[in-house]
């Protein structure tokens, strides 16, 4: 047995002088188990031993200052008081795969085992702060930085794999060396001694990796940390059509999309949207259809109806998409057989929907709401969700795709969709009203997946939850299998880190839209330049003072150069002075503090590094913690000030950061605040498009089955009654016709005025 002794004591002055003259005392040598001499460290006086001609230079030991030879240095790395014998199994260093053994054959055999190298893939091990899933647990597929446990059928993934950090990684607790040398093949002869040693070495390696995996020790596998910013190793991509073409191309051959398209070649999918705002799902499906056409294939769908309550969004939907029916209130759609349209008329609520896409209200679950409400309480979020459930229980759409903020009550949402009476988070009265009984087969199978926009091509941190719900009439086992396949594709296959910084999505300074917006902003703000007066902001001032004291930012004003509250400001010359002059004292203080924080805490000059500060929130809410090139989450009332511009991002730019092809849209005379609201409430097209693409791939066989024939509702029209076309002077139209509000036709202006006058009841 070869034993290592304690570290030698520091050499004395006399010994150091003797060492400098080359007069080295001899160190005792001991023999290993084979009888050959082996250098080691003695527990004696710590003097240096014999050295060969190649080891004249001494290597200082940083632990105690003793000069060691090259051969002694390798032994000094061993732990103290530790014994190693040839009879023991070789110890492997999982960080670099080097075996602490002299058996060169064993090393070469280990190097040939490619599956061991796969286990050491640095991307399969997550950061130390991430939770580690138990392979026995049911784990939700997620694209966020953390795992969310939900009920997932264990059959959804392979037995030897688990879903973790958006990837299917080897289940180290199940996969061992027995797969190669075990009892799988009874005809295999007994392993030789060399094979047995290799098997033991593999077991040691696997045990080490499992321990490292479970102890969150990423540094054991690789010292390289995962980048969370822009992935500059990928080709830059800023065009929305290119992004969808890339998604379709990655699914085409490997994951069944080509077969799915063949199954759907004779099918026209019937799609409806509720509270989607910008109709991002329809835009995404149009982009998917364009990508299919580039491959010589077709993707056909029919937009049956939309539901939107905001008036200017109704006008946007009508101008850009012209759905056959545009309802006003989704609660009314869920409760009644007839509902009011955006024009004030009543029409029947249609059924026969294949895919229903809903972005129900997020007001009650948003992190910006200081007074959150649960989905079981009376509130905008809970009311809109129950409206979706009522529509689902009456008309049974085949598939429902829900979208909301990640902090929404997704477990409660799932319990409602599955008609789970045993879940304590639901209101049983609501379930009784919606489903009518406690039979779980009357509900939907549901699975939630969480994602971040920056993992889907666009450089924005925006965490959202998507839940796919499949009607259980197809069979619970079949529905669960489709859900698992959808989740795997959506959260594992389709994600691609943003490869272009957000600055690449902004307009040029000479763009006509930028010039016009600056001109309007200057006109609106110039009158306030001379009338700037102090405003009462007592509550916010206390928070700013406390933040300054904690972070020791000082009282300087390096950006706005504001001396007194309400006084003039003098920002840098390349900043927008009208914008700064029109802001309140809170915003002025925010700009100064954000600049000081960047300089003192992160050591950079924000005037020469593009950062987007959201001045709509207090300084303690806007932490400016995102990586360079990434913009924080866009909100409906947010004001993201670009530090290299000195002015906020305009609405056109915000829409581009949400993946909306603004150049193809008719936005009319929307104000800047309306466009910000559009962008803040919109679904990101690349994310919802990935969810739809995964849905089509995993559920194609189900969607290809012809549904029961449902009578298509007639186009909304005003009944052609004489009293509606009678004027106040008693005259009538000679040839009264149905007033079609969804088509365009040429007519005389006088006739148009008469029609408008006769239909004024629709404008009440």
């Amino acid at each position: 047995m070869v034993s290592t002794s304690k570290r030698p004591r520091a050499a004395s002055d006399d010994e150091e002088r003797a060492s400098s003259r080359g007069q080295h005392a001899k160190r005792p040598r001991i023999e290993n188990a084979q009888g050959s001499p082996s250098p080691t460290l003695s527990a004696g006086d710590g003097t240096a031993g014999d050295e060969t001609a190649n080891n004249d230079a001494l290597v200082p030991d940083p632990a105690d200052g003793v000069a060691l030879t090259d051969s002694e240095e390798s032994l000094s790395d061993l732990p103290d008081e530790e014994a190693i014998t040839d009879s023991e199994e070789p110890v492997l260093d999982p960080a670099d795969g080097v075996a602490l053994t002299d058996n060169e054959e064993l090393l070469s055999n280990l190097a040939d085992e490619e599956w061991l190298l796969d286990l050491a893939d640095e991307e399969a091990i997550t950061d130390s702060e991430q939770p580690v899933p138990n392979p026995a647990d049911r784990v939700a597929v997620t694209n966020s930085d953390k795992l969310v446990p939900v009920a997932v059928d264990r059959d959804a993934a392979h037995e030897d794999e688990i879903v973790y950090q958006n990837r299917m990684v080897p289940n180290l607790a199940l996969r061992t060396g027995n797969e190669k040398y075990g009892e799988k093949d009874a005809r295999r002869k007994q392993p030789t001694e060399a094979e047995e040693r290799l098997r033991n070495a593999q077991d040691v390696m696997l045990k080490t990796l499992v321990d490292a995996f479970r102890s969150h020790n990423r540094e054991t596998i690789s010292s390289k940390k995962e980048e969370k910013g822009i992935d500059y190793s990928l080709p830059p991509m800023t065009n929305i059509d290119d992004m969808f073409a890339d998604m379709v191309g990655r699914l085409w051959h490997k994951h069944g999309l080509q077969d799915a398209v063949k199954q759907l070649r004779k099918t026209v999918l019937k799609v409806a949207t509720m509270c989607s705002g910008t109709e991002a799902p329809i835009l995404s499906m149009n982009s998917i259809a364009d990508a299919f056409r580039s491959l010589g294939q077709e993707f056909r769908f029919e937009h049956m109806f939309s539901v939107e309550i905001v008036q200017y969004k109704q006008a946007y939907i009508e101008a850009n998409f012209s759905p056959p029916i545009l309802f006003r209130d989704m609660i009314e759609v869920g409760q009644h057989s007839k509902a009011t349209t955006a024009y004030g008329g009543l029409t029947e609520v249609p059924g026969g929907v294949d895919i229903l896409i809903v972005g129900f209200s997020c007001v009650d679950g948003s992190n910006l709401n200081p007074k959150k409400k649960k989905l079981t309480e009376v509130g905008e979020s809970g009311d809109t969700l129950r409206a979706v459930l009522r529509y689902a229980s009456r008309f049974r759409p085949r598939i429902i795709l829900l979208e909301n903020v990640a902090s929404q009550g997704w477990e409660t949402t799932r319990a409602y969709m599955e008609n789970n009476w045993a879940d304590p988070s639901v209101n049983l009265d609501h379930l009784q009203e919606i489903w009518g009984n406690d039979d779980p087969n009357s509900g939907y199978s549901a699975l939630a997946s969480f994602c971040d926009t920056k993992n889907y091509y666009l450089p924005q941190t925006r965490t959202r939850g998507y839940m796919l719900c499949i009607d259980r009439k197809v069979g619970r086992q079949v529905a669960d299998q489709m859900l698992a396949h959808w989740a795997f594709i959506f959260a594992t296959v389709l994600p691609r880190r943003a490869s272009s910084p957000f600055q690449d999505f902004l307009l040029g300074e000479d763009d006509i839209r930028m010039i016009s917006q600056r001109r309007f902003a200057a006109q609106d703000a110039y009158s306030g330049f001379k009338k700037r007066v102090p405003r009462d902001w007592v509550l916010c001032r206390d928070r700013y003072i406390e933040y300054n004291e904690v972070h020791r930012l000082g009282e300087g004003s390096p950006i706005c150069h504001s001396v007194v509250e309400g006084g003039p400001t003098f920002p840098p010359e390349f900043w927008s002075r009208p914008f700064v002059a029109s802001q309140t004292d809170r915003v002025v203080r925010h700009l100064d503090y954000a600049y000081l924080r960047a300089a003192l805490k992160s050591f950079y000059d924000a005037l020469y590094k593009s950062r987007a500060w959201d001045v709509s929130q207090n300084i303690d809410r806007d932490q400016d913690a995102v990586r360079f090139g990434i913009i924080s989450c866009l909100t409906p009332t947010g004001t993201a000030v670009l530090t290299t511009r000195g002015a906020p991002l305009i609405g056109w730019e915000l829409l581009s950061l949400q993946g909306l092809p603004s150049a193809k849209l008719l936005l009319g005379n929307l104000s800047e605040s309306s466009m910000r609201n559009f962008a803040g409430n919109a679904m990101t097209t690349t994310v919802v498009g990935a969810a739809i693409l995964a849905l089509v791939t995993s559920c194609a066989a189900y969607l290809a089955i012809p549904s029961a024939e449902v009578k298509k509702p007639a186009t909304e029209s005003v009944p052609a009654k004489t009293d509606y076309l009678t004027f106040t002077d008693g005259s009538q139209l000679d040839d009264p016709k149905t007033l079609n509000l969804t088509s365009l036709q040429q007519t005389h202006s006088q006739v148009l005025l008469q029609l408008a006058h006769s239909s004024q009841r629709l404008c009440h």
Side-chain angles (χ1 to χ4, degrees):
M1 177 179 293
V2 179
S3 63
T4 59
S5 61
K6 296 184 178 179
R7 291 188 179 275
R9 61 177 177 83
S12 63
D13 294 340
D14 294 337
E15 293 167 347
E16 290 180 356
R17 286 193 296 270
S19 175
S20 64
R21 293 193 299 267
Q23 300 174 357
H24 305 301
K26 289 188 177 180
R27 186 181 299 274
R29 302 165 64 90
I30 62 176
E31 294 183 350
N32 57 20
Q34 281 75 23
S36 59
S38 178
T40 184
L41 299 180
S42 173
D45 56 4
T47 57
D50 290 338
E51 298 176 13
T52 62
N54 293 331
N55 290 329
D56 291 338
L58 297 179
V59 181
D61 187 352
D64 51 22
V66 177
L68 304 176
T69 66
D70 290 343
S71 59
E72 294 168 344
E73 183 187 10
S74 62
L75 286 176
S76 66
D77 294 334
L78 292 174
D80 295 341
E81 306 285 341
E82 188 172 354
I84 300 179
T85 66
D86 287 345
S87 60
E88 296 175 342
E89 295 176 348
V91 181
L92 303 181
D93 186 358
D96 51 19
V98 177
L100 303 180
T101 176
D102 293 331
N103 193 335
E104 297 296 333
E105 180 182 0
L106 178 59
L107 287 178
S108 62
N109 290 337
L110 285 176
D112 293 336
E113 294 298 316
E114 295 180 358
W115 69 283
L116 281 177
L117 300 179
D118 292 338
L119 291 180
D121 184 6
E122 63 182 14
E123 295 182 1
I125 310 298
T126 69
D127 289 333
S128 59
E129 66 270 18
Q130 302 299 338
V132 178
N134 188 341
D137 294 339
R138 296 178 175 183
V139 182
V141 182
T142 173
N143 196 32
S144 64
D145 290 337
K146 59 184 180 180
L147 289 169
V148 180
V150 299
V152 180
D153 193 347
R154 180 60 184 271
D155 295 333
H158 299 293
E159 289 184 355
D160 61 341
E161 291 180 332
I162 55 176
V163 179
Y164 187 64
Q165 196 67 12
N166 315 326
R167 295 191 58 187
M168 302 295 291
V169 299
N171 190 341
L172 302 180
L174 298 179
R175 180 178 296 181
T176 65
N178 294 331
E179 289 188 2
K180 191 171 185 65
Y181 296 100
E183 300 177 355
K184 272 195 169 183
D185 191 351
R187 296 170 297 179
R188 182 177 177 85
K189 63 181 181 179
Q190 293 297 325
T192 62
E193 181 179 0
E195 291 173 339
E196 187 69 22
R197 295 190 63 188
L198 176 59
R199 176 181 175 180
N200 294 336
Q202 292 169 348
D203 291 341
V204 173
M205 171 69 83
L206 285 171
K207 184 178 183 305
T208 306
L209 290 176
V210 170
D211 294 341
F213 187 79
R214 291 179 174 174
S215 63
H216 317 282
N217 189 1
R218 181 183 177 86
E219 296 297 329
T220 305
I221 303 302
S222 174
S223 60
K224 181 180 178 181
K225 294 184 178 180
E226 179 188 2
E227 290 294 334
K228 297 182 179 180
I230 300 296
D231 189 348
Y232 291 104
S233 65
L234 297 174
M237 192 175 296
T238 57
N239 185 275
I240 304 300
D241 294 333
D242 293 342
M243 297 176 186
F244 279 94
D246 182 71
M247 281 192 283
V248 171
R250 287 193 286 137
L251 287 181
W252 188 251
H253 295 291
K254 294 184 178 180
H255 299 282
L257 180 58
Q258 189 173 8
D259 296 334
V261 172
K262 292 180 181 178
Q263 292 174 330
L264 295 173
R265 64 182 181 275
K266 296 182 180 180
T267 304
V268 178
L269 299 179
K270 298 179 180 180
V271 182
T273 60
M274 291 183 179
C275 293
S276 63
T278 56
E279 292 289 15
I282 304 301
L283 291 171
S284 302
M285 297 182 77
N286 288 331
S287 298
I288 292 173
D290 293 340
F292 279 11
R293 276 191 289 271
S294 66
L295 297 173
Q297 302 293 332
E298 286 190 5
F299 177 68
R300 297 181 296 174
F301 67 94
E302 177 187 355
H303 188 184
M304 296 188 66
F305 67 86
S306 294
V307 183
E308 181 54 58
I309 197 170
V310 181
Q311 292 182 356
Y312 68 86
K313 294 183 180 179
Q314 293 172 356
Y316 159 84
I317 293 174
E318 184 64 39
N320 290 278
F321 306 98
S322 300
I325 304 176
L326 178 56
F327 290 108
R328 184 173 61 187
D329 188 359
M330 65 184 301
I331 296 179
E332 186 180 5
V333 171
Q335 289 179 340
H336 306 291
S337 59
K338 291 186 177 182
T340 307
T341 66
Y343 297 101
L346 286 175
T347 189
E348 289 192 12
V349 178
V353 176
D354 291 324
I355 303 175
L356 176 63
I357 305 173
V358 185
F360 65 100
S361 176
C362 64
V363 173
D364 297 330
S366 174
N367 289 328
L368 298 179
N369 187 357
K371 299 180 180 179
K372 293 184 179 182
K373 293 183 179 179
K374 297 180 180 179
L375 292 175
T376 54
E377 300 176 352
V378 177
E380 190 170 334
S381 298
D383 292 344
T384 52
L385 175 61
R386 286 187 288 275
V388 177
L389 293 169
R390 294 188 186 98
Y391 179 87
S393 64
R394 291 169 53 207
F395 295 100
R396 307 300 297 193
R398 292 184 175 189
I399 296 176
I400 302 175
L401 182 63
L402 301 177
E403 183 268 350
N404 213 305
V405 295
S407 57
Q408 194 63 268
W410 287 104
E411 286 297 325
T412 303
T413 303
R414 173 175 157 271
Y416 272 117
M417 293 301 305
E418 294 186 344
N419 191 21
N420 187 357
W421 288 59
D423 195 302
S425 64
V426 300
N427 188 316
L428 298 183
D429 293 335
H430 292 160
L431 291 180
Q432 178 66 36
E433 174 198 356
I434 294 168
W435 302 111
N437 55 64
D438 59 352
D439 181 12
N441 292 323
S442 62
Y444 282 68
S445 292
L447 176 63
S449 181
F450 301 88
C451 58
D452 195 334
T453 296
K454 65 174 175 286
N455 293 325
Y456 291 85
Y457 297 87
L458 295 174
Q460 180 194 172
T461 295
R462 188 181 185 87
T463 56
R464 289 294 183 268
Y466 282 79
M467 176 174 283
L468 186 67
C469 311
I470 300 177
D471 192 350
R472 281 181 173 168
K473 290 183 178 180
V474 72
R476 296 188 64 174
Q477 184 176 2
V478 175
D480 291 342
Q481 290 176 353
M482 289 189 291
L483 288 175
H485 192 200
W486 169 81
F488 172 74
I489 294 176
F490 175 55
T492 308
V493 178
L494 288 177
R496 179 190 185 272
R497 176 73 66 160
S499 58
S500 297
F502 75 88
Q503 296 91 327
D504 292 351
F505 293 81
L506 306 183
L507 299 177
E509 297 299 322
D510 57 348
D511 191 284
I512 185 61
R513 292 169 290 182
M514 178 66 70
I515 296 174
S516 300
Q517 179 58 35
R518 284 192 171 185
R519 184 185 300 116
F520 294 148
Q523 291 175 357
D524 295 339
Y526 185 76
S527 60
F529 183 77
K530 298 180 181 179
K531 298 179 181 179
R532 179 176 166 81
V533 295
R535 295 188 180 183
D536 186 13
W537 59 299
V538 176
L539 297 179
C540 291
R541 183 192 286 113
D542 292 342
R543 297 175 67 172
Y544 276 73
I545 293 174
E546 180 182 1
Y547 189 86
N548 188 5
E549 291 177 350
V550 172
H551 295 275
R552 300 179 180 274
L553 301 179
E555 296 298 333
S557 181
I559 294 294
C560 301
H561 299 91
S562 177
V563 179
V564 295
E565 292 187 1
T569 57
F570 304 95
E573 59 181 5
F574 60 90
W575 274 43
S576 174
R577 293 199 173 191
F579 166 74
V580 178
S582 63
Q583 300 305 306
T584 62
D585 292 311
R586 185 195 66 80
V587 175
V588 170
R589 188 75 62 87
H590 189 128
L591 294 172
D592 289 327
Y593 280 7
Y595 178 84
L596 291 171
R597 177 179 57 192
L600 296 176
K601 303 297 182 181
S602 301
F603 307 103
Y604 69 87
D605 189 344
L607 295 180
Y608 301 94
K609 293 283 188 179
S610 293
R611 304 292 288 177
W613 296 334
D614 186 5
V615 297
S616 65
Q617 302 293 324
N618 286 316
I619 187 67
D620 55 340
R621 297 291 296 270
D622 177 39
Q623 294 295 330
D624 189 30
V626 296
R627 301 291 182 93
F628 282 101
I630 304 292
I631 192 172
S632 57
C633 182
L634 303 180
T635 59
T637 58
T639 304
V641 177
L642 187 64
T643 59
T644 54
R645 178 190 295 175
L649 303 182
I650 66 174
W652 297 93
E653 297 170 327
L654 300 177
L655 292 175
S656 297
L657 288 169
Q658 283 284 58
L660 299 172
S662 56
K664 300 179 182 179
L665 300 176
L666 299 176
L667 299 178
N669 295 323
L670 287 177
S671 64
E672 186 66 20
S673 60
S674 297
M675 294 181 71
R676 284 201 303 267
N677 187 281
F678 256 126
N681 282 321
M683 301 181 192
T684 307
T685 57
T686 54
V687 181
V688 68
I692 294 173
L693 197 56
L695 181 158
V696 171
T697 304
S698 58
C699 305
Y702 174 42
L703 294 172
I705 301 174
S707 59
E709 293 294 329
V710 179
K711 183 179 179 181
K712 183 178 179 180
T715 302
E716 180 190 358
S717 61
V718 178
K721 294 184 179 180
T722 306
D723 55 345
Y724 291 155
L725 303 179
T726 301
F727 305 139
T728 55
D729 58 0
S731 61
Q732 296 181 357
L733 288 177
D734 295 336
D735 186 18
K737 296 180 179 180
T738 299
L739 181 60
N740 191 340
L741 300 178
T742 62
S743 63
L744 300 177
Q745 59 184 358
Q746 293 183 352
T747 185
H748 194 274
S749 59
Q750 187 64 28
V751 177
L752 182 61
L753 290 174
Q754 291 176 350
L755 291 173
H757 186 274
S758 63
S759 61
Q760 61 181 346
R761 68 176 186 85
L762 298 179
C763 302
H764 290 167

